[in-house]
Every structure is written in C-alpha cells, then in structure tokens.
Amino acid sequence: MGRHSCCTKQKLRKGLWSPDEDEKLFNHIARFGVGCWSSVPKLAGLQRCGKSCRLRWINYLRPDLKRGMFSQQEEDLILSLHQVLGNRWAQIAVQLPGRTDNEIKNFWNSCLKKKLMKQGIDPSTHKPLAESEISTPNEKDYTDEASLLQSSQAHPIEIATETEKPFNVSKACYNGSGNVRVASGLADTFHSTPNFNPVFLLEFQERINPNGYNPNLMPQFQQYQTLYEPEQFEAKPNFGFSSMPDLTNYDLEGIAEAEFSANSASTLSSLLYNEVKECSSNSSIATSTANAGFELDKMVGNNSTLSWNPDNSLESLFQFSGIKCEESVEPNEWQGQAHCSDDYISYPLTSVSEDLVGGNAEISYQI
DNA sequence: AAGCTCGCCAACCGCCCCGTC
DNA sequence: TGACGGGGCGGTTGGCGAGCT
C-alpha cells in the first residue's frame, strides 16, 4: 500500500501546526463543515495533506473536545473498557465524550500502564503479573463471544443485576484486582453493533464533571459571537459551531443559566441546555426512540437551522433517516434552509422535529 | 547557569477497510 | 474483479518543557 497518496505531494508542511494554520482550518470547517478531507487543504489554503487536517481537527480543533486532566471516573472507565476492548482506542473514545482516541491512548501509555504495573497488574491482560506471565497470552482477541466468555471465566466480568443505567461509571468500575464490573448488557453492547445510545452519553456526562469548553477555541467562539449576534444566526447558518451547544462540556450543576445564555449563541442552545439540565435533575432521560423524539421535539422549538457535520457532537449521535436532500447546493450558496451538496449537509431542525413527531423518522444512534 | 534525563503528547507512519470506477 | 483513492485506526516518533544534577 505504501504511503498515503496525499502525503507524497510536494511542498506539504509537516510538524506542529501554527496558530495561523489552525485558524485557517477552523474557519474553513466553521464555514463549510467537514467534507472531503483531501480537498480541505486546497480550499482552506493550507500546505498540508488532508489526513493531517483531519487529525488536527479531530484531535485539537473540534469544539466538543474536553481538555484537562482525566477524572477518576474517566480513568476507571478507560480501565474497564480496556479490559474488554483491548487497544481499540477509537471504540474506547466513543464512550468518553470529549476525549479523542489519541488522547486516551497517550493517557494509557503515559499513566495508566505504569499505574497498573506498579499495582502488579499486567496492563495488557489486566491480570496479576505473576499469573499473567504463567498462563495468559498477551493480547486476547475479544471480538468473538467464545473468547470473551473464556476470558470472563478466568477474570469474570461482574454483571450488575439491578436495573441500572448503562454507563453509570460507578457501576462500571475497575476494582484493581483484574476484574471489571459493568452494568448488565454493557458487555453485549461492546460486542454487538457499533451503535451507541446518546442517552447513555448524557447520563455519563452528567457524572464526569466536565471541564468546560475547549479552551483553544474560546477566542474563535468569542470572535464569532461578536460578529454574529444570536438573531443573526438564522441568516448565518454555516456557523454551526456557535449554534451548536456542546452537550459534552457543560457543567450542568455548576453553570448558571444566565451565564449559559450569555455564552450561547442561539435560543436553541438554551433550549437544549434546559432540556439536558432537566434530565440531569430528575434522571428521567428518555429511553426509547419515541421518547427521544419527543424530547428532541421539545428541544427544537424554534426555527433555527442547525448546520453541523457528522463529526460533531449532536449529529454524530443522531442520524435521521428518511430525510432526503432534494438538491445540490454549493456551500457558498447556502441559506437558512435545508441544504445538501455532495460533501456537506445541514438540516433544518424543524423538519427533523416534524418527522420525529410524525413518527416517520427513525433515530439510529451511531458512533 | 548549563547540560542532561525523562515524560508527555501532538503528529506522523503504515496498514486496513470500504466505496467507486 | 482488480485498481485506486479516501478515511480511519493503532503504533510509533520526536519535539519540547520540567525537573534534576
């Protein structure tokens, strides 16, 4: 296979990204969303390969990234997931909103691995070192149920019996003895389809006390908010970042509503915030597709257009089927309604809402 | 203060998978 | 059906800063 074709081109910059490059990439994605990565460098005026742009966006520029130290709960969850999934960082990252696979991988290699070693636990098998050396092959392939069963017999995964919400971290914790306790059904989740329920995500995020916005992007956010007041966002739908509340990063307990309003750029954000906060306070999160539709319908009570891309927070979770793009529109021709081009898609929330209420739409949860 | 070591982490590399032609 | 290109993923590297001598 060899080197990726985009990297073979001449005069491509490598190494650390400059603030200027970041700004160019950020502005490009902010305007046009995530599309064909190979065309991004050219369109954004960057001397980088598409892969490099993609990585920079995913690992650093994405507004839904959480920065800072890993919490104890996150650490426990990583340990738990690693025992089940092994070095499948991307799958592990799915369960840790706001964290990238690269970040988790680095955290594992720099901290957790050593921590386990100090505790006398083999980081690759999660068994006591002595036992591991004697009997256990290094990396087990847990993809098939037989090997999982075999593994769990040697080191049982405790399945919680009570009706617990999945991703309750306190119930999916690493106990330091090589065993992992997960909520009922969680193990199945890992090994069946890659589908992921965002309700679980919200549940989890309630508990991990996120650290807030990606600080790297605050200046840009502020800039956009200065340029475009909330009422202008309907006319500037391409600024999906600002109109898209970051569900992963709100400190639902700590942040004042007034503060939120000041920081958010749209009514939609406030509506979403209220909804999530409500869920947070009474833990009555919708658990069915129908309920999810209802909740969403309440959330999207205005006519704001959500312009967001599949890599970003909410639409990465909700894939609305049954919504067809009627026409192809160039990105620079976008207006405040539903648009679709080959590479970029945005949906008017009211349409989504109507479809959901009408029962025509199916929400599938997707990684 | 200078040199050295070490750890962290951003970014790259190489491979694989999948879709398209 | 095979070649090709794009995207995604895990492993690895190297730059840089902090701490130590």
Side-chain angles (χ1 to χ4, degrees):
Chain A
M1 183 68 71
R3 212 173 183 193
H4 199 267
S5 60
C6 68
C7 301
T8 60
K9 293 175 184 170
Q10 300 295 314
K11 295 181 182 177
L12 292 182
R13 267 178 59 83
K14 285 164 69 174
L16 294 179
W17 280 64
S18 68
D20 184 53
E21 288 178 305
D22 280 344
E23 190 183 347
K24 281 181 181 173
L25 180 59
F26 181 90
N27 288 340
H28 177 80
I29 304 293
R31 287 191 66 201
F32 304 121
V34 174
C36 174
W37 284 110
S38 59
S39 65
V40 164
K42 190 180 172 188
L43 294 172
L46 291 164
Q47 301 295 315
R48 297 271 182 176
C49 71
K51 281 184 89 166
S52 185
C53 293
R54 176 183 161 270
L55 271 179
R56 185 61 178 173
W57 173 256
I58 288 174
N59 289 330
Y60 192 78
L61 292 177
R62 241 172 52 193
D64 59 335
L65 286 181
K66 198 192 306 173
R67 290 282 165 180
M69 301 281 289
F70 281 79
S71 68
Q72 185 59 48
Q73 287 172 320
E74 286 177 297
E75 186 179 322
D76 290 340
L77 186 58
I78 292 169
L79 286 165
S80 304
L81 292 169
H82 186 272
Q83 182 172 17
V84 180
L85 296 169
N87 291 358
R88 294 184 192 124
W89 307 114
Q91 286 186 42
I92 292 172
V94 167
Q95 316 300 342
L96 285 122
R99 302 292 189 185
T100 68
D101 54 353
N102 206 36
E103 199 177 5
I104 294 169
K105 182 171 56 182
N106 284 334
F107 181 56
W108 175 265
N109 286 327
S110 61
C111 298
L112 293 183
K113 229 173 170 179
K114 291 169 190 170
K115 218 172 193 177
L116 289 181
M117 294 289 277
K118 275 186 181 174
Q119 293 173 1
I121 297 168
D122 185 340
S124 60
T125 63
H126 292 255
K127 294 180 179 181
L129 273 172
E131 181 186 342
S132 177
E133 283 165 10
I134 294 168
S135 62
T136 313
N138 282 336
E139 288 288 347
K140 262 202 169 298
D141 180 6
Y142 292 120
T143 51
D144 64 283
E145 289 190 9
S147 61
L148 175 65
L149 181 64
Q150 199 177 12
S151 163
S152 60
Q153 284 168 345
H155 268 276
I157 294 174
E158 298 176 25
I159 304 297
T161 52
E162 66 269 48
T163 51
E164 298 164 349
K165 294 184 177 71
F167 296 95
N168 178 338
V169 182
S170 65
K171 299 291 166 55
C173 61
Y174 188 81
N175 64 15
S177 64
N179 296 335
V180 62
R181 174 180 164 79
V182 298
S184 179
L186 187 56
D188 288 343
T189 305
F190 294 143
H191 294 280
S192 54
T193 68
N195 290 343
F196 176 56
N197 188 340
V199 173
F200 300 169
L201 182 72
L202 295 176
E203 265 287 90
F204 174 65
Q205 286 161 118
E206 285 176 49
R207 302 164 193 273
I208 58 176
N209 188 25
N211 295 320
Y213 292 104
N214 179 352
N216 305 307
L217 295 172
M218 285 311 293
Q220 286 97 320
F221 274 118
Q222 286 159 0
Q223 181 190 350
Y224 285 125
Q225 285 170 22
T226 305
L227 287 172
Y228 301 106
E229 293 302 315
E231 63 270 19
Q232 294 179 275
F233 267 79
E234 283 185 26
K236 299 285 181 184
N238 292 341
F239 289 92
F241 286 57
S242 304
S243 65
M244 191 64 215
D246 179 3
L247 293 180
T248 67
N249 288 338
Y250 290 127
D251 180 346
L252 299 175
E253 300 298 328
I255 191 169
E257 195 170 338
E259 184 187 342
F260 177 90
S261 298
N263 284 336
S264 63
S266 71
T267 311
L268 172 64
S269 301
S270 300
L271 288 165
L272 274 165
Y273 165 74
N274 289 333
E275 196 63 34
V276 174
K277 191 178 181 183
E278 188 180 321
C279 291
S280 171
S281 62
N282 60 17
S283 296
S284 62
I285 291 181
T287 53
S288 67
T289 300
N291 282 346
F294 173 69
E295 300 292 343
L296 272 171
D297 182 51
K298 285 202 292 180
M299 293 183 205
V300 291
N302 64 352
N303 286 326
S304 297
T305 297
L306 174 65
S307 173
W308 198 242
N309 56 67
D311 262 7
N312 293 330
S313 48
L314 194 58
E315 289 199 10
S316 66
L317 303 177
F318 300 142
Q319 183 183 36
F320 300 98
S321 58
I323 301 174
K324 284 180 70 174
C325 298
E326 299 294 340
E327 59 186 59
S328 180
V329 181
E330 290 301 315
N332 59 8
E333 295 172 354
W334 289 357
Q335 300 297 321
Q337 300 299 319
H339 304 306
C340 181
S341 67
D342 287 341
D343 294 335
Y344 306 95
I345 299 174
S346 66
Y347 297 119
L349 288 177
T350 47
S351 298
V352 171
S353 171
E354 285 161 9
D355 278 5
L356 290 169
V357 171
N360 297 326
E362 215 182 277
I363 299 179
S364 61
Y365 306 112
Q366 195 181 42
I367 292 176

